[in-house]
Amino acid sequence: MEVTARAPGKIILAGEHAVVHGYTAVASSIDLYTVFSIRLRSEDDDTVKLKLNDIGLDFSWSVRRIKEVLSHLGSPFSSTPASCSLETIKSLATLVDEQSFPETKIGLASGVYAFLWLYTSILGFKPATITVSSELPVGAGLGSSAAYCVSLSAALLALSDSVKLDVSQKGWSTFKETEAELVNKWAFEGEKIIHGRPSGVDNSVSTFGNVIKFKSGVMTRVNSNMPLRMLITNTKVGRDTKALVANVSARKSRHPDAMCSVLNAIEAISDEWSTIIQSHAVDDLYLSANEEKLGELMEMNQGLLLSIGVSHASIENVLQTSMKYKLASKLTGAGGGDISGEVIDKLVEELGSFGFQSFTAGIGGK
């Protein structure tokens, strides 16, 4: 038996980092996907094989070995997943350390931890071949880890017979609302393994799609009446989300009053964003005015992100470059990172070819 599931990436339109501290964020899914294919095999082949196509890594464990190390998992399925314990993380590390993991890609090990935990917790100890492919760059602020956890959880739950799929539509089957909520819960636990303290916004928008508002774990769907054209620029240099989130928390501890004011300002921008994109444009003039407002909000949001220490001089260079083409811009996701002059030149070339005249540019958060 084989199941294939896919989940989209995301961009945060407003509210990154503030959302981790209980403030509002607005996020949208994008049409770039991560795909998990899981093929169960006969019990005669006692292996679980994981193939990460896009990064060229293959892993293989015997079911016997997984069961030996993770014997406390694989219990009767629970519709309310518990978080992965520190002791389990140590056990997962044992399994990963037994593999040939290139030093240059060791930062991806947490994704393998999440795979082993989700796989064993939901499906138990069954031999299978699992193939992963993705259109999303890793570490670019586009929700690659969330799409990974959501598509994995969806495929596993579909194989576990614990959910019912809507097969009335042609093409891809879909999860009903309650089943999608279950997918989201499992994916969030996977995100915790990868990022430590995620807000939950990434996995929520990847699970449910479209545009959402997210605050303190509560998701509200946004019915946007305004077409949004977004130019997403990938700087192609990674960053550590966990470290950036920790740095913001440390700054908040050192300057609680000032940081509270900044985070409140970011939340006000998120609230205004959602109000504008839900408004009904009566004519082109009204639509143009709303676009200008959103552009101003993006610039203000970027300034606030700079003040909490998550921007970077190189990102600011990209922002200045995009301004030459009348594109208001901000980072999306965790921020941080670096960028070379070569990438700046490439950005100039691409902006010239696109020729957008509105506010719509989202700068990839690397």
Side-chain angles (χ1 to χ4, degrees), residues 47-225:
T47 56
V48 173
K49 297 179 180 180
L50 174 63
K51 300 180 178 181
L52 304 176
N53 286 344
D54 300 286
I55 55 179
L57 294 179
D58 291 351
F59 303 97
S60 180
W61 301 269
S62 70
V63 171
R64 177 192 56 78
R65 180 57 178 156
I66 294 175
K67 193 171 184 179
E68 179 182 299
V69 176
L70 302 176
S71 57
H72 57 292
L73 300 181
S75 58
F77 176 80
S78 172
S79 60
T80 306
S83 296
C84 181
S85 67
L86 289 176
E87 287 302 315
T88 300
I89 290 289
K90 293 177 182 178
S91 299
L92 294 168
T94 299
L95 291 171
V96 175
D97 288 345
E98 293 173 353
Q99 303 291 309
S100 297
F101 213 116
E103 187 66 29
T104 56
K105 297 181 179 179
I106 199 67
L108 302 174
S110 60
V112 183
Y113 286 24
F115 162 77
L116 285 167
W117 184 80
L118 287 168
Y119 186 90
T120 309
S121 297
I122 297 175
L123 210 54
F125 307 106
K126 295 182 179 180
T129 296
I130 301 93
T131 304
V132 190
S133 59
S134 183
E135 299 168 320
L136 293 162
V138 176
L142 298 181
S144 60
S145 66
Y148 174 94
C149 290
V150 170
S151 54
L152 171 58
S153 298
L156 293 171
L157 289 169
L159 280 170
S160 71
D161 295 326
S162 58
V163 297
K164 294 181 179 179
L165 297 176
D166 183 356
V167 295
S168 62
Q169 303 180 43
K170 294 182 179 180
W172 291 89
S173 299
T174 58
F175 284 80
K176 296 180 180 179
E177 188 74 15
T178 55
E179 280 77 9
E181 289 173 0
L182 181 59
V183 170
N184 198 34
K185 288 178 181 178
W186 280 104
F188 184 48
E189 296 304 327
E191 279 276 84
K192 287 181 182 178
I193 295 173
I194 296 173
H195 292 305
R197 191 191 169 194
S199 66
V201 64
D202 285 17
N203 49 277
S204 294
V205 74
S206 183
T207 300
F208 295 99
N210 298 315
V211 182
I212 68 166
K213 282 180 69 175
F214 191 91
K215 180 177 182 178
S216 300
V218 178
M219 183 192 76
T220 305
R221 297 188 184 186
V222 175
N223 295 316
S224 176
N225 297 293

